[in-house]
Amino acid sequence: MIKQATLFFLVLGLAACSGIDQPSLSADSGVSDTLLEDMPKEWADSYAGNLEVQLFIDRLVQEHNYDRKRLELAFSHIKVRPKVIEKSDNQPEVITPYYEYKTRFVNEERAKLGRQFAKRNAEWLHKAELEFGVESRVIVALIGVETYYGRITGSKDVFTSLTTLAFDYPRRKDYFQSELEAYLLLVRKEGWNIGKTKGSYSGAMGMVQFMPSNYQKLAIDYDNSGHIDLWGSDADAIGSVANYLRHHGWKAGEPWFVMAHVEDRDKVADDINRGRKPNVDMTVWSSLGVLPTQPFLLQKTGLIGLRTGPETISYWLAYENFFTIMDYNPSRRYAMSVLELAESIGSYENN
């Protein structure tokens, strides 16, 4: 085993080369003793034997008064999960063309199950629509795309997935360390067992697939049961989705998108799929040869172009509500699938 002092100077050297702020290791930091001694042999192949994890634990102890022994025991039982990194680098929302991607979600079976879900939960959907201004079919479709209406909520240990991404996925390390922190605070607040929470490979949880920070801030106890249950309560899932979308700017009663014709793609190539906000007036689009083919509102929109066949690209002018769905998942393929499924589901009053 590498002596701790050697490991310590190696890590500090890497930090200095990369421009990372070096951690303060004062005598009362709580981690300095660990740095001066060999870690327990049983930690050698686990995350508890990772110096960076020890510094993370130290921060949670200092900032949140977290129990150090509980954290060290939890991290000592887990190792890196390589498939999490592999999946994070090969997300279908990024690499799969829309005409293939949408078939997973926009189909008659999922629309049929969505209508059944809407019927069962008509009271909660009506309540959420009145209180949050989000159409019922959008709420239902989002849950349908995320987890097949609660049928597929993920079977991976959230703690191991988040830890892997927090310490072995440099591209989004800071984000996943903050989500790991949020998860551990949720564990303590909700009385969960660390490592027993099941979710997606990226750490998303429940039938709405909230990341831990969103679970903390935006999940709600909509059925007033006394606790939030995003796995077993349709009402909590419905209320939480509606709360999330309103929080991110959903505008009640406003359109999502209109189909468009593009006269000269090269003329607007730099504007297609650009940005995360509607940014161009309809009059400007018209001058550029981008023409709505459906009734439209004179509001700013963004130009969406997605491959709807091997050699076909279709275009839409997207309003604010389309981009609000992208706050849930920053993929245009995802947002379009949710809204197309919502159109297929229709209004629950008529089903």
Side-chain angles (χ1 to χ4, degrees):
M1 182 175 5
I2 298 174
K3 286 292 184 182
Q4 194 60 42
T6 304
L7 179 60
F8 173 49
F9 287 114
L10 175 61
V11 171
L12 286 188
L14 290 172
C17 292
S18 63
I20 299 172
D21 290 338
Q22 297 177 11
S24 173
L25 297 172
S26 61
D28 61 352
S29 70
V31 118
S32 56
D33 289 342
T34 306
L35 291 170
L36 295 174
E37 301 171 2
D38 286 339
M39 292 181 182
K41 290 182 179 180
E42 60 268 24
W43 289 5
D45 296 324
S46 74
Y47 271 112
N50 181 311
L51 177 60
E52 193 175 7
V53 172
Q54 284 291 326
L55 294 171
F56 176 82
I57 291 173
D58 185 54
R59 185 168 63 78
L60 263 64
V61 171
Q62 291 186 15
E63 295 182 7
H64 301 292
N65 196 30
Y66 220 108
D67 183 83
R68 179 183 299 280
K69 290 188 182 298
R70 185 184 184 194
L71 291 174
E72 289 183 337
L73 180 62
F75 281 112
S76 74
H77 287 152
I78 62 170
K79 302 177 183 180
V80 64
R81 181 180 287 156
K83 283 205 168 184
V84 170
I85 298 171
E86 181 185 337
K87 286 190 174 183
S88 295
D89 283 332
N90 295 279
Q91 298 179 49
E93 290 86 355
V94 176
I95 64 175
T96 307
Y98 183 63
Y99 67 91
E100 293 180 3
Y101 176 84
K102 70 176 285 187
T103 59
R104 309 176 188 192
F105 310 111
V106 187
N107 54 61
E108 182 50 37
E109 176 65 15
R110 203 166 294 229
K112 176 183 175 182
L113 290 172
R115 289 189 282 269
Q116 292 173 2
F117 180 90
K119 281 185 178 181
R120 289 196 309 272
N121 292 288
E123 178 185 353
W124 296 115
L125 289 165
H126 182 66
K127 183 174 187 284
E129 190 165 332
L130 289 175
E131 292 181 356
F132 298 100
V134 183
E135 291 95 317
S136 299
R137 54 184 173 154
V138 174
I139 298 171
V140 174
L142 196 147
I143 296 172
V145 167
E146 285 292 339
T147 61
Y148 220 143
Y149 312 105
R151 288 166 172 78
I152 307 171
T153 58
S155 60
K156 302 300 181 185
D157 158 31
V158 167
F159 177 56
T160 302
S161 294
L162 288 175
T163 301
T164 298
L165 293 167
F167 299 104
D168 284 290
Y169 191 55
R171 188 165 68 86
R172 301 193 68 194
K173 174 179 173 181
D174 291 343
Y175 168 74
F176 282 108
Q177 285 193 14
S178 70
E179 291 298 335
L180 177 59
E181 178 179 346
Y183 168 73
L184 289 167
L185 293 175
L186 267 175
V187 162
R188 188 171 65 177
K189 177 184 175 184
E190 300 293 334
W192 301 341
N193 290 322
I194 298 177
K196 298 298 183 182
T197 319
K198 301 300 182 183
S200 75
Y201 71 89
S202 63
M205 299 181 291
M207 68 176 75
V208 300
Q209 293 292 275
F210 271 8
M211 293 299 288
S213 61
N214 287 323
Y215 202 119
Q216 280 183 317
K217 295 181 293 186
L218 297 172
I220 59 177
D221 176 18
Y222 209 44
D223 59 9
N224 294 315
S225 67
H227 71 283
I228 299 168
D229 180 7
L230 295 187
W231 284 268
S233 170
D234 288 355
D236 288 0
I238 287 165
S240 297
V241 166
N243 187 42
Y244 184 102
L245 293 177
R246 184 181 68 175
H247 174 82
H248 283 277
W250 186 271
K251 297 184 183 300
E254 295 202 359
W256 315 331
F257 53 72
V258 292
M259 296 193 71
H261 170 71
V262 174
E263 292 181 348
D264 184 350
R265 188 182 191 281
D266 291 340
K267 194 173 182 179
V268 293
D270 291 340
D271 298 305
I272 299 170
N273 297 335
R274 179 182 177 185
R276 295 279 298 276
K277 290 286 181 185
N279 51 16
V280 178
D281 288 321
M282 284 293 196
T283 52
V284 175
W285 285 129
S286 180
S287 70
L288 293 171
V290 179
L291 306 172
T293 60
Q294 297 173 293
F296 60 93
L297 295 181
L298 285 172
Q299 295 180 3
K300 288 185 177 181
T301 56
L303 181 57
I304 307 298
L306 296 174
R307 194 168 292 281
T308 51
E311 299 180 2
T312 305
I313 298 177
S314 298
Y315 299 96
W316 297 262
L317 289 169
Y319 293 95
E320 182 69 42
N321 284 344
F322 180 93
F323 293 96
T324 300
I325 299 292
M326 285 182 63
D327 285 316
Y328 211 100
N329 181 314
S331 163
R332 291 167 179 81
R333 297 173 180 86
Y334 173 90
M336 188 61 72
S337 292
V338 168
L339 294 173
E340 286 203 40
L341 178 59
E343 288 186 333
S344 298
I345 290 169
S347 173
Y348 70 88
E349 289 97 339
N350 299 322
N351 294 318

